[in-house]
Amino acid sequence: MSDQLDTNQLLPKVYGERIGSLPQDLYIPPDALEIYLDSFEGPLDLLLYLIRKNNIDILDIPMANITSQYMTYVEKMKAIKLELAADYLLMSAMLIEIKSRMLLPVPESEEGEELDPRAELVRKLVEYELMKSAAEELEKIPQLGKDRMVANAYFEKVTEITYPDVSVDDIFNAWKNIIKRAKQFDNHKISRSELSVREHMTIILKSLAEKELVEFSSFFDTERDPIPKLVVCFLAILELTKERLIRINQQEPCSPIYLQRENS
Amino acid sequence: MIDSTSKIKELLEVALLTSQRPLSIDDFQKLFIEKIERSTIRMLLDEVKSDWHDKTMNLIQTSSGYRFEALPLFSEALMRLNPDRVMKYSRMVMEVLAIVAYRQPVTRGDIEKIRGVSLNPNALRQLIEREWVEIIGQKEVPGRPSLYATTKYFLDDFGFMSITELPDINQFTNENIIDEPIQGNIDSTQQG
Amino acid sequence: MIDSTSKIKELLEVALLTSQRPLSIDDFQKLFIEKIERSTIRMLLDEVKSDWHDKTMNLIQTSSGYRFEALPLFSEALMRLNPDRVMKYSRMVMEVLAIVAYRQPVTRGDIEKIRGVSLNPNALRQLIEREWVEIIGQKEVPGRPSLYATTKYFLDDFGFMSITELPDINQFTNENIIDEPIQGNIDSTQQG
């Protein structure tokens, strides 16, 4: 008997009704879960939504119902193989803990005060909702640059402007920071050769800015340039074509090949 | 060189029209080689203000000084000029800003605790780049986390003279959060 | 909404006073929902110009459009306001410079993608003003964003012959790895 009860409680249920699909009161269909996840700022936000949606008093959360709904939601997220944020799982654990503590006799503190296991969660929810409304209030205030513009007319600078000193190390350190932060594999592969391709891309684009049409062969000084340089230059042309920055033209077979900018 | 009162007034106006940042009385004094009394500057600023009355710009006073702002009725049209420059922030960034504004000084950990979710470092970075938030020190706990607070520019850009002018938070605490829940529904759910 | 000629003129003036860059006739047309003829705009700009005659600012025409400029006689005083405006580039500016240097040619969007936050236009402006970065074309994608690259002056100022002389990130990782063994080696060679 008690076994059966436990099993039922583990199944996702909303107000006594067992559900095999997403709860009806969740306003975004399951196939849009990805957008759905984005529309919440985190587990507290989701919990607040569920509480508000059901018009439940935040101070008197029916733990079992909310936990079930929340768990259904988290299960669905897992099913759709979204990368499940640790924060959501942590919240699940907290909800389950509160739920299980509520099934036990309520302990009394030293002072004889009853300790409601929901108190901490309620405090968090209240504080979060407060900040959420504060953010909305701030958003309503006319902001400079968004709703208000300031005078910013020009004046001719008469004296020499003293520019800040920058060393190569400063640039390199900035770049290291970016890479450290990005942590993406792509950005780790900045090698010397790739850089020289990038440089040649710039050189080619600049020369095509001066002249509309430049002969392909003029970029290759086969007499003087070492082979690696010729290869890099060729790679730069291919990369520029791939990025649709330039076009390679040839009127007829064996006639000269020309490079031009994609827009000209 | 600039001697007459009208020339002083002109220089105040031109400084205001060419400066992005609000100018304080100290700033205005820097414009002149000879010393100009603060009271004189204040009086002349009042004159500039009334010269511009009924024109295209308002001379307004912010927490850190004076600046010219386009009349609000022009804002919408001006935003059409550079739509990509309009800096609109995500809900996340606005929430972080609200927490820093109302709970300052806060650490990153405090923000994460309030929001219940780990913080994308970009949120704070965007606010620091916008010069709305700054690091004002370290908290003396293990790891010495940075303490964040709002800046003078935050007040300026939102038109507050002081942080006490932020929308009253208690106003929405009691009404919206605790008292509002609909009784009827609670009863029905509790019956179920 | 803005219907009368005087309102159009006011909007032209306020756009000029609040813009960081010169405005072209195309820009002015963007201010209005309804179509305003180019000739009308030109005529009204002439009126704005004469309205400001003998005042603190000149409406002048540059190669890329119109802008208000403080009368030259004020420049010296205005420079006293911000004597050494920039002593140090912000972290943001340095990161943008590094991205342009290592990743050129890049669009604003590329920079934003790499840094993960929207880009304050001031960053690129400071670098262009310094003549370290320039626009070398447009990318043929919707919106035709500008492509940024480093300049000859950038190479000159850093004493590079070519951009390939920038420090290599791979080299840096290798150095870090072999950092410690080197100490040992030096000792042993000195003994020998």
Side-chain angles (χ1 to χ4, degrees), chain A residues 41 45 55 60 127-128 139 144 146-153, chain B residues 17 20 67-70 75 79 91 94-95 103 115 130 157 185 190:
Chain A
E41 286 295 322
D45 197 20
N55 283 321
D60 190 24
E127 173 70 356
Y128 177 66
E139 185 74 52
L144 198 83
K146 184 164 137 277
D147 316 286
R148 287 158 46 216
M149 297 291 284
V150 287
N152 193 14
Chain B
L17 286 172
Q20 274 193 76
R67 77 168 153 214
F68 269 120
E69 261 187 40
S75 292
M79 295 306 146
R91 213 182 110 189
M94 290 307 290
E95 282 186 14
R103 294 289 180 248
R115 297 185 69 241
R130 184 67 194 264
D157 289 359
N185 266 333
Q190 277 171 346

PDB file of all heavy atoms in Angstrom, chain A residues 41 45 55 60 127-128 139 144 146-153, chain B residues 17 20 67-70 75 79 91 94-95 103 115 130 157 185 190:
ATOM      1  N   GLU A  41      15.146  33.107 -16.386  1.00  0.00           N
ATOM      2  CA  GLU A  41      16.475  33.540 -15.969  1.00  0.00           C
ATOM      3  C   GLU A  41      17.140  32.538 -15.046  1.00  0.00           C
ATOM      4  O   GLU A  41      18.247  32.757 -14.592  1.00  0.00           O
ATOM      5  CB  GLU A  41      16.393  34.912 -15.301  1.00  0.00           C
ATOM      6  CG  GLU A  41      16.155  36.053 -16.274  1.00  0.00           C
ATOM      7  CD  GLU A  41      17.322  36.239 -17.247  1.00  0.00           C
ATOM      8  OE1 GLU A  41      18.467  36.083 -16.828  1.00  0.00           O
ATOM      9  OE2 GLU A  41      17.053  36.528 -18.417  1.00  0.00           O
ATOM     10  N   ASP A  45      13.410  31.741 -11.187  1.00  0.00           N
ATOM     11  CA  ASP A  45      12.486  32.400 -12.096  1.00  0.00           C
ATOM     12  C   ASP A  45      11.412  31.413 -12.554  1.00  0.00           C
ATOM     13  O   ASP A  45      10.225  31.738 -12.609  1.00  0.00           O
ATOM     14  CB  ASP A  45      13.284  32.949 -13.292  1.00  0.00           C
ATOM     15  CG  ASP A  45      12.506  33.983 -14.077  1.00  0.00           C
ATOM     16  OD1 ASP A  45      11.551  34.555 -13.520  1.00  0.00           O
ATOM     17  OD2 ASP A  45      12.861  34.218 -15.248  1.00  0.00           O
ATOM     18  N   ASN A  55      -1.398  30.887  -9.160  1.00  0.00           N
ATOM     19  CA  ASN A  55      -1.916  31.812  -8.149  1.00  0.00           C
ATOM     20  C   ASN A  55      -1.766  31.253  -6.739  1.00  0.00           C
ATOM     21  O   ASN A  55      -2.706  31.218  -5.964  1.00  0.00           O
ATOM     22  CB  ASN A  55      -3.379  32.124  -8.422  1.00  0.00           C
ATOM     23  CG  ASN A  55      -3.512  33.105  -9.545  1.00  0.00           C
ATOM     24  OD1 ASN A  55      -2.728  34.042  -9.645  1.00  0.00           O
ATOM     25  ND2 ASN A  55      -4.484  32.876 -10.410  1.00  0.00           N
ATOM     26  N   ASP A  60       2.785  30.114   1.258  1.00  0.00           N
ATOM     27  CA  ASP A  60       2.146  28.849   1.577  1.00  0.00           C
ATOM     28  C   ASP A  60       2.205  27.923   0.366  1.00  0.00           C
ATOM     29  O   ASP A  60       1.194  27.522  -0.188  1.00  0.00           O
ATOM     30  CB  ASP A  60       0.690  29.110   2.007  1.00  0.00           C
ATOM     31  CG  ASP A  60       0.066  27.845   2.569  1.00  0.00           C
ATOM     32  OD1 ASP A  60       0.830  26.967   3.033  1.00  0.00           O
ATOM     33  OD2 ASP A  60      -1.166  27.730   2.522  1.00  0.00           O
ATOM     34  N   GLU A 127      13.020  37.641  -2.281  1.00  0.00           N
ATOM     35  CA  GLU A 127      14.129  38.519  -2.650  1.00  0.00           C
ATOM     36  C   GLU A 127      14.312  38.557  -4.167  1.00  0.00           C
ATOM     37  O   GLU A 127      14.517  39.610  -4.752  1.00  0.00           O
ATOM     38  CB  GLU A 127      15.426  38.064  -1.962  1.00  0.00           C
ATOM     39  CG  GLU A 127      16.690  38.798  -2.387  1.00  0.00           C
ATOM     40  CD  GLU A 127      16.777  40.250  -1.925  1.00  0.00           C
ATOM     41  OE1 GLU A 127      15.804  40.738  -1.326  1.00  0.00           O
ATOM     42  OE2 GLU A 127      17.810  40.891  -2.197  1.00  0.00           O
ATOM     43  N   TYR A 128      14.201  37.384  -4.810  1.00  0.00           N
ATOM     44  CA  TYR A 128      14.386  37.375  -6.260  1.00  0.00           C
ATOM     45  C   TYR A 128      13.283  38.138  -6.971  1.00  0.00           C
ATOM     46  O   TYR A 128      13.536  38.932  -7.873  1.00  0.00           O
ATOM     47  CB  TYR A 128      14.483  35.944  -6.811  1.00  0.00           C
ATOM     48  CG  TYR A 128      14.592  35.957  -8.321  1.00  0.00           C
ATOM     49  CD1 TYR A 128      15.719  36.500  -8.927  1.00  0.00           C
ATOM     50  CD2 TYR A 128      13.574  35.489  -9.126  1.00  0.00           C
ATOM     51  CE1 TYR A 128      15.820  36.585 -10.301  1.00  0.00           C
ATOM     52  CE2 TYR A 128      13.658  35.562 -10.504  1.00  0.00           C
ATOM     53  CZ  TYR A 128      14.791  36.107 -11.084  1.00  0.00           C
ATOM     54  OH  TYR A 128      14.886  36.189 -12.448  1.00  0.00           O
ATOM     55  N   GLU A 139      14.088  49.473 -16.053  1.00  0.00           N
ATOM     56  CA  GLU A 139      13.930  49.431 -17.505  1.00  0.00           C
ATOM     57  C   GLU A 139      12.965  50.515 -17.984  1.00  0.00           C
ATOM     58  O   GLU A 139      13.103  51.054 -19.072  1.00  0.00           O
ATOM     59  CB  GLU A 139      13.418  48.039 -17.898  1.00  0.00           C
ATOM     60  CG  GLU A 139      13.301  47.780 -19.381  1.00  0.00           C
ATOM     61  CD  GLU A 139      14.657  47.580 -20.048  1.00  0.00           C
ATOM     62  OE1 GLU A 139      15.425  46.740 -19.556  1.00  0.00           O
ATOM     63  OE2 GLU A 139      14.920  48.272 -21.048  1.00  0.00           O
ATOM     64  N   LEU A 144      19.799  57.194 -20.732  1.00  0.00           N
ATOM     65  CA  LEU A 144      20.623  57.920 -21.670  1.00  0.00           C
ATOM     66  C   LEU A 144      21.093  56.969 -22.766  1.00  0.00           C
ATOM     67  O   LEU A 144      21.504  55.862 -22.491  1.00  0.00           O
ATOM     68  CB  LEU A 144      21.826  58.488 -20.935  1.00  0.00           C
ATOM     69  CG  LEU A 144      22.494  59.593 -21.723  1.00  0.00           C
ATOM     70  CD1 LEU A 144      21.764  60.876 -21.478  1.00  0.00           C
ATOM     71  CD2 LEU A 144      23.938  59.717 -21.315  1.00  0.00           C
ATOM     72  N   LYS A 146      19.335  55.468 -24.836  1.00  0.00           N
ATOM     73  CA  LYS A 146      18.224  54.657 -25.325  1.00  0.00           C
ATOM     74  C   LYS A 146      16.995  55.550 -25.500  1.00  0.00           C
ATOM     75  O   LYS A 146      16.334  55.490 -26.524  1.00  0.00           O
ATOM     76  CB  LYS A 146      17.944  53.533 -24.335  1.00  0.00           C
ATOM     77  CG  LYS A 146      16.884  52.565 -24.780  1.00  0.00           C
ATOM     78  CD  LYS A 146      16.947  51.289 -23.945  1.00  0.00           C
ATOM     79  CE  LYS A 146      15.579  50.805 -23.540  1.00  0.00           C
ATOM     80  NZ  LYS A 146      15.018  51.445 -22.362  1.00  0.00           N
ATOM     81  N   ASP A 147      16.713  56.345 -24.517  1.00  0.00           N
ATOM     82  CA  ASP A 147      15.539  57.211 -24.596  1.00  0.00           C
ATOM     83  C   ASP A 147      15.903  58.691 -24.543  1.00  0.00           C
ATOM     84  O   ASP A 147      15.068  59.532 -24.774  1.00  0.00           O
ATOM     85  CB  ASP A 147      14.594  56.921 -23.429  1.00  0.00           C
ATOM     86  CG  ASP A 147      14.427  55.432 -23.195  1.00  0.00           C
ATOM     87  OD1 ASP A 147      13.741  54.805 -23.990  1.00  0.00           O
ATOM     88  OD2 ASP A 147      15.019  54.913 -22.237  1.00  0.00           O
ATOM     89  N   ARG A 148      17.141  58.965 -24.170  1.00  0.00           N
ATOM     90  CA  ARG A 148      17.530  60.363 -24.056  1.00  0.00           C
ATOM     91  C   ARG A 148      18.870  60.570 -24.731  1.00  0.00           C
ATOM     92  O   ARG A 148      19.727  59.708 -24.710  1.00  0.00           O
ATOM     93  CB  ARG A 148      17.658  60.740 -22.568  1.00  0.00           C
ATOM     94  CG  ARG A 148      16.308  60.857 -21.859  1.00  0.00           C
ATOM     95  CD  ARG A 148      16.465  60.682 -20.360  1.00  0.00           C
ATOM     96  NE  ARG A 148      17.572  61.437 -19.823  1.00  0.00           N
ATOM     97  CZ  ARG A 148      18.348  61.009 -18.830  1.00  0.00           C
ATOM     98  NH1 ARG A 148      18.153  59.840 -18.292  1.00  0.00           N
ATOM     99  NH2 ARG A 148      19.337  61.750 -18.411  1.00  0.00           N
ATOM    100  N   MET A 149      19.036  61.745 -25.337  1.00  0.00           N
ATOM    101  CA  MET A 149      20.283  62.043 -26.035  1.00  0.00           C
ATOM    102  C   MET A 149      20.891  63.310 -25.468  1.00  0.00           C
ATOM    103  O   MET A 149      20.168  64.252 -25.154  1.00  0.00           O
ATOM    104  CB  MET A 149      20.010  62.268 -27.526  1.00  0.00           C
ATOM    105  CG  MET A 149      19.454  61.053 -28.241  1.00  0.00           C
ATOM    106  SD  MET A 149      20.669  59.743 -28.381  1.00  0.00           S
ATOM    107  CE  MET A 149      21.691  60.398 -29.684  1.00  0.00           C
ATOM    108  N   VAL A 150      22.220  63.316 -25.377  1.00  0.00           N
ATOM    109  CA  VAL A 150      22.875  64.516 -24.861  1.00  0.00           C
ATOM    110  C   VAL A 150      23.628  65.235 -25.976  1.00  0.00           C
ATOM    111  O   VAL A 150      23.985  64.640 -26.990  1.00  0.00           O
ATOM    112  CB  VAL A 150      23.897  64.200 -23.743  1.00  0.00           C
ATOM    113  CG1 VAL A 150      23.176  63.824 -22.485  1.00  0.00           C
ATOM    114  CG2 VAL A 150      24.864  63.146 -24.173  1.00  0.00           C
ATOM    115  N   ALA A 151      23.869  66.517 -25.743  1.00  0.00           N
ATOM    116  CA  ALA A 151      24.650  67.311 -26.692  1.00  0.00           C
ATOM    117  C   ALA A 151      26.049  66.725 -26.791  1.00  0.00           C
ATOM    118  O   ALA A 151      26.628  66.299 -25.801  1.00  0.00           O
ATOM    119  CB  ALA A 151      24.716  68.758 -26.209  1.00  0.00           C
ATOM    120  N   ASN A 152      26.543  66.698 -27.996  1.00  0.00           N
ATOM    121  CA  ASN A 152      27.839  66.063 -28.202  1.00  0.00           C
ATOM    122  C   ASN A 152      28.489  66.654 -29.447  1.00  0.00           C
ATOM    123  O   ASN A 152      28.957  65.932 -30.305  1.00  0.00           O
ATOM    124  CB  ASN A 152      27.621  64.552 -28.359  1.00  0.00           C
ATOM    125  CG  ASN A 152      28.896  63.775 -28.264  1.00  0.00           C
ATOM    126  OD1 ASN A 152      29.914  64.298 -27.826  1.00  0.00           O
ATOM    127  ND2 ASN A 152      28.848  62.533 -28.695  1.00  0.00           N
ATOM    128  N   ALA A 153      28.454  67.967 -29.546  1.00  0.00           N
ATOM    129  CA  ALA A 153      28.969  68.603 -30.751  1.00  0.00           C
ATOM    130  C   ALA A 153      30.494  68.579 -30.752  1.00  0.00           C
ATOM    131  O   ALA A 153      31.131  68.334 -29.729  1.00  0.00           O
ATOM    132  CB  ALA A 153      28.441  70.030 -30.856  1.00  0.00           C
TER     133      ALA A 153
ATOM    134  N   LEU B  17      27.731  72.184 -24.837  1.00  0.00           N
ATOM    135  CA  LEU B  17      27.287  71.587 -26.105  1.00  0.00           C
ATOM    136  C   LEU B  17      28.287  70.584 -26.662  1.00  0.00           C
ATOM    137  O   LEU B  17      27.930  69.736 -27.468  1.00  0.00           O
ATOM    138  CB  LEU B  17      27.024  72.689 -27.151  1.00  0.00           C
ATOM    139  CG  LEU B  17      25.760  73.520 -26.956  1.00  0.00           C
ATOM    140  CD1 LEU B  17      25.728  74.690 -27.945  1.00  0.00           C
ATOM    141  CD2 LEU B  17      24.511  72.664 -27.130  1.00  0.00           C
ATOM    142  N   GLN B  20      30.213  65.294 -23.619  1.00  0.00           N
ATOM    143  CA  GLN B  20      29.303  64.164 -23.438  1.00  0.00           C
ATOM    144  C   GLN B  20      28.925  63.976 -21.983  1.00  0.00           C
ATOM    145  O   GLN B  20      27.873  63.478 -21.673  1.00  0.00           O
ATOM    146  CB  GLN B  20      30.003  62.881 -23.859  1.00  0.00           C
ATOM    147  CG  GLN B  20      29.923  62.567 -25.301  1.00  0.00           C
ATOM    148  CD  GLN B  20      30.370  61.138 -25.533  1.00  0.00           C
ATOM    149  OE1 GLN B  20      29.662  60.192 -25.263  1.00  0.00           O
ATOM    150  NE2 GLN B  20      31.577  60.986 -26.031  1.00  0.00           N
ATOM    151  N   ARG B  67      24.221  69.270 -17.928  1.00  0.00           N
ATOM    152  CA  ARG B  67      24.399  68.917 -19.329  1.00  0.00           C
ATOM    153  C   ARG B  67      23.171  69.268 -20.149  1.00  0.00           C
ATOM    154  O   ARG B  67      22.076  69.428 -19.630  1.00  0.00           O
ATOM    155  CB  ARG B  67      24.749  67.445 -19.474  1.00  0.00           C
ATOM    156  CG  ARG B  67      23.593  66.495 -19.309  1.00  0.00           C
ATOM    157  CD  ARG B  67      24.061  65.118 -19.776  1.00  0.00           C
ATOM    158  NE  ARG B  67      23.349  64.061 -19.124  1.00  0.00           N
ATOM    159  CZ  ARG B  67      23.898  62.875 -18.799  1.00  0.00           C
ATOM    160  NH1 ARG B  67      25.152  62.651 -19.036  1.00  0.00           N
ATOM    161  NH2 ARG B  67      23.183  61.947 -18.233  1.00  0.00           N
ATOM    162  N   PHE B  68      23.399  69.377 -21.458  1.00  0.00           N
ATOM    163  CA  PHE B  68      22.308  69.618 -22.377  1.00  0.00           C
ATOM    164  C   PHE B  68      21.743  68.290 -22.838  1.00  0.00           C
ATOM    165  O   PHE B  68      22.485  67.394 -23.242  1.00  0.00           O
ATOM    166  CB  PHE B  68      22.807  70.366 -23.629  1.00  0.00           C
ATOM    167  CG  PHE B  68      22.733  71.856 -23.511  1.00  0.00           C
ATOM    168  CD1 PHE B  68      23.888  72.617 -23.619  1.00  0.00           C
ATOM    169  CD2 PHE B  68      21.521  72.496 -23.330  1.00  0.00           C
ATOM    170  CE1 PHE B  68      23.838  74.003 -23.532  1.00  0.00           C
ATOM    171  CE2 PHE B  68      21.452  73.881 -23.246  1.00  0.00           C
ATOM    172  CZ  PHE B  68      22.619  74.636 -23.343  1.00  0.00           C
ATOM    173  N   GLU B  69      20.431  68.202 -22.802  1.00  0.00           N
ATOM    174  CA  GLU B  69      19.768  67.000 -23.303  1.00  0.00           C
ATOM    175  C   GLU B  69      18.734  67.393 -24.331  1.00  0.00           C
ATOM    176  O   GLU B  69      18.036  68.395 -24.163  1.00  0.00           O
ATOM    177  CB  GLU B  69      19.027  66.307 -22.151  1.00  0.00           C
ATOM    178  CG  GLU B  69      19.787  65.168 -21.568  1.00  0.00           C
ATOM    179  CD  GLU B  69      18.950  64.403 -20.557  1.00  0.00           C
ATOM    180  OE1 GLU B  69      17.736  64.196 -20.790  1.00  0.00           O
ATOM    181  OE2 GLU B  69      19.526  64.034 -19.547  1.00  0.00           O
ATOM    182  N   ALA B  70      18.605  66.590 -25.389  1.00  0.00           N
ATOM    183  CA  ALA B  70      17.568  66.851 -26.379  1.00  0.00           C
ATOM    184  C   ALA B  70      16.205  66.756 -25.703  1.00  0.00           C
ATOM    185  O   ALA B  70      16.010  65.922 -24.816  1.00  0.00           O
ATOM    186  CB  ALA B  70      17.663  65.826 -27.504  1.00  0.00           C
ATOM    187  N   SER B  75      13.375  62.305 -29.029  1.00  0.00           N
ATOM    188  CA  SER B  75      14.131  61.066 -28.804  1.00  0.00           C
ATOM    189  C   SER B  75      13.847  59.988 -29.839  1.00  0.00           C
ATOM    190  O   SER B  75      14.759  59.372 -30.381  1.00  0.00           O
ATOM    191  CB  SER B  75      13.820  60.503 -27.416  1.00  0.00           C
ATOM    192  OG  SER B  75      14.344  61.354 -26.448  1.00  0.00           O
ATOM    193  N   MET B  79      16.619  58.218 -32.323  1.00  0.00           N
ATOM    194  CA  MET B  79      16.989  56.802 -32.241  1.00  0.00           C
ATOM    195  C   MET B  79      16.983  56.158 -33.632  1.00  0.00           C
ATOM    196  O   MET B  79      17.660  55.168 -33.854  1.00  0.00           O
ATOM    197  CB  MET B  79      16.039  56.037 -31.319  1.00  0.00           C
ATOM    198  CG  MET B  79      16.099  56.469 -29.873  1.00  0.00           C
ATOM    199  SD  MET B  79      17.764  56.420 -29.215  1.00  0.00           S
ATOM    200  CE  MET B  79      17.729  57.805 -28.100  1.00  0.00           C
ATOM    201  N   ARG B  91      17.377  41.023 -20.175  1.00  0.00           N
ATOM    202  CA  ARG B  91      16.747  40.945 -18.868  1.00  0.00           C
ATOM    203  C   ARG B  91      17.779  40.571 -17.807  1.00  0.00           C
ATOM    204  O   ARG B  91      17.780  41.111 -16.703  1.00  0.00           O
ATOM    205  CB  ARG B  91      15.652  39.882 -18.922  1.00  0.00           C
ATOM    206  CG  ARG B  91      14.477  40.214 -18.040  1.00  0.00           C
ATOM    207  CD  ARG B  91      13.474  39.092 -18.104  1.00  0.00           C
ATOM    208  NE  ARG B  91      13.470  38.394 -16.841  1.00  0.00           N
ATOM    209  CZ  ARG B  91      12.817  37.261 -16.644  1.00  0.00           C
ATOM    210  NH1 ARG B  91      12.155  36.689 -17.630  1.00  0.00           N
ATOM    211  NH2 ARG B  91      12.833  36.694 -15.462  1.00  0.00           N
ATOM    212  N   MET B  94      19.792  43.570 -16.873  1.00  0.00           N
ATOM    213  CA  MET B  94      18.997  44.510 -16.086  1.00  0.00           C
ATOM    214  C   MET B  94      18.780  43.992 -14.653  1.00  0.00           C
ATOM    215  O   MET B  94      18.768  44.770 -13.703  1.00  0.00           O
ATOM    216  CB  MET B  94      17.650  44.806 -16.756  1.00  0.00           C
ATOM    217  CG  MET B  94      17.752  45.639 -18.028  1.00  0.00           C
ATOM    218  SD  MET B  94      18.691  47.194 -17.839  1.00  0.00           S
ATOM    219  CE  MET B  94      17.555  48.154 -16.808  1.00  0.00           C
ATOM    220  N   GLU B  95      18.634  42.673 -14.519  1.00  0.00           N
ATOM    221  CA  GLU B  95      18.478  42.112 -13.172  1.00  0.00           C
ATOM    222  C   GLU B  95      19.749  42.307 -12.349  1.00  0.00           C
ATOM    223  O   GLU B  95      19.694  42.659 -11.172  1.00  0.00           O
ATOM    224  CB  GLU B  95      18.134  40.617 -13.236  1.00  0.00           C
ATOM    225  CG  GLU B  95      16.675  40.363 -13.572  1.00  0.00           C
ATOM    226  CD  GLU B  95      16.300  38.879 -13.496  1.00  0.00           C
ATOM    227  OE1 GLU B  95      17.078  38.079 -12.932  1.00  0.00           O
ATOM    228  OE2 GLU B  95      15.233  38.538 -14.009  1.00  0.00           O
ATOM    229  N   ARG B 103      21.282  46.560  -3.765  1.00  0.00           N
ATOM    230  CA  ARG B 103      21.918  45.787  -2.699  1.00  0.00           C
ATOM    231  C   ARG B 103      23.393  46.120  -2.544  1.00  0.00           C
ATOM    232  O   ARG B 103      24.121  45.392  -1.903  1.00  0.00           O
ATOM    233  CB  ARG B 103      21.746  44.288  -2.983  1.00  0.00           C
ATOM    234  CG  ARG B 103      20.300  43.809  -2.907  1.00  0.00           C
ATOM    235  CD  ARG B 103      19.801  43.804  -1.468  1.00  0.00           C
ATOM    236  NE  ARG B 103      18.428  43.340  -1.374  1.00  0.00           N
ATOM    237  CZ  ARG B 103      17.399  44.117  -1.031  1.00  0.00           C
ATOM    238  NH1 ARG B 103      17.591  45.398  -0.764  1.00  0.00           N
ATOM    239  NH2 ARG B 103      16.181  43.620  -0.958  1.00  0.00           N
ATOM    240  N   ARG B 115      19.905  35.543  -7.537  1.00  0.00           N
ATOM    241  CA  ARG B 115      19.265  35.102  -8.773  1.00  0.00           C
ATOM    242  C   ARG B 115      19.117  33.579  -8.825  1.00  0.00           C
ATOM    243  O   ARG B 115      18.418  33.052  -9.680  1.00  0.00           O
ATOM    244  CB  ARG B 115      20.023  35.600 -10.000  1.00  0.00           C
ATOM    245  CG  ARG B 115      20.024  37.134 -10.085  1.00  0.00           C
ATOM    246  CD  ARG B 115      20.660  37.629 -11.356  1.00  0.00           C
ATOM    247  NE  ARG B 115      19.860  37.314 -12.515  1.00  0.00           N
ATOM    248  CZ  ARG B 115      20.262  36.562 -13.521  1.00  0.00           C
ATOM    249  NH1 ARG B 115      21.461  36.016 -13.504  1.00  0.00           N
ATOM    250  NH2 ARG B 115      19.477  36.334 -14.540  1.00  0.00           N
ATOM    251  N   ARG B 130      29.864  50.012 -19.679  1.00  0.00           N
ATOM    252  CA  ARG B 130      28.948  51.133 -19.814  1.00  0.00           C
ATOM    253  C   ARG B 130      29.203  52.187 -18.727  1.00  0.00           C
ATOM    254  O   ARG B 130      28.605  53.247 -18.732  1.00  0.00           O
ATOM    255  CB  ARG B 130      27.499  50.618 -19.725  1.00  0.00           C
ATOM    256  CG  ARG B 130      26.433  51.658 -19.946  1.00  0.00           C
ATOM    257  CD  ARG B 130      26.435  52.174 -21.362  1.00  0.00           C
ATOM    258  NE  ARG B 130      25.663  53.362 -21.518  1.00  0.00           N
ATOM    259  CZ  ARG B 130      24.393  53.403 -21.925  1.00  0.00           C
ATOM    260  NH1 ARG B 130      23.782  52.295 -22.255  1.00  0.00           N
ATOM    261  NH2 ARG B 130      23.755  54.534 -22.040  1.00  0.00           N
ATOM    262  N   ASP B 157      22.893  58.845 -15.934  1.00  0.00           N
ATOM    263  CA  ASP B 157      22.240  58.315 -17.131  1.00  0.00           C
ATOM    264  C   ASP B 157      20.795  57.917 -16.886  1.00  0.00           C
ATOM    265  O   ASP B 157      20.006  57.817 -17.817  1.00  0.00           O
ATOM    266  CB  ASP B 157      23.036  57.121 -17.681  1.00  0.00           C
ATOM    267  CG  ASP B 157      24.356  57.576 -18.288  1.00  0.00           C
ATOM    268  OD1 ASP B 157      24.612  58.795 -18.288  1.00  0.00           O
ATOM    269  OD2 ASP B 157      25.131  56.724 -18.771  1.00  0.00           O
ATOM    270  N   ASN B 185      -8.070  30.652  -5.342  1.00  0.00           N
ATOM    271  CA  ASN B 185      -7.322  29.565  -5.955  1.00  0.00           C
ATOM    272  C   ASN B 185      -6.586  28.703  -4.952  1.00  0.00           C
ATOM    273  O   ASN B 185      -6.464  27.510  -5.120  1.00  0.00           O
ATOM    274  CB  ASN B 185      -6.321  30.127  -6.951  1.00  0.00           C
ATOM    275  CG  ASN B 185      -6.908  30.142  -8.349  1.00  0.00           C
ATOM    276  OD1 ASN B 185      -7.770  29.331  -8.648  1.00  0.00           O
ATOM    277  ND2 ASN B 185      -6.466  31.061  -9.169  1.00  0.00           N
ATOM    278  N   GLN B 190      -5.799  23.631  -2.350  1.00  0.00           N
ATOM    279  CA  GLN B 190      -5.555  22.925  -1.103  1.00  0.00           C
ATOM    280  C   GLN B 190      -6.609  21.845  -0.844  1.00  0.00           C
ATOM    281  O   GLN B 190      -6.335  20.867  -0.176  1.00  0.00           O
ATOM    282  CB  GLN B 190      -5.508  23.920   0.058  1.00  0.00           C
ATOM    283  CG  GLN B 190      -4.112  24.555   0.145  1.00  0.00           C
ATOM    284  CD  GLN B 190      -4.060  25.693   1.107  1.00  0.00           C
ATOM    285  OE1 GLN B 190      -5.097  26.194   1.525  1.00  0.00           O
ATOM    286  NE2 GLN B 190      -2.870  26.108   1.467  1.00  0.00           N
TER     287      GLN B 190
END
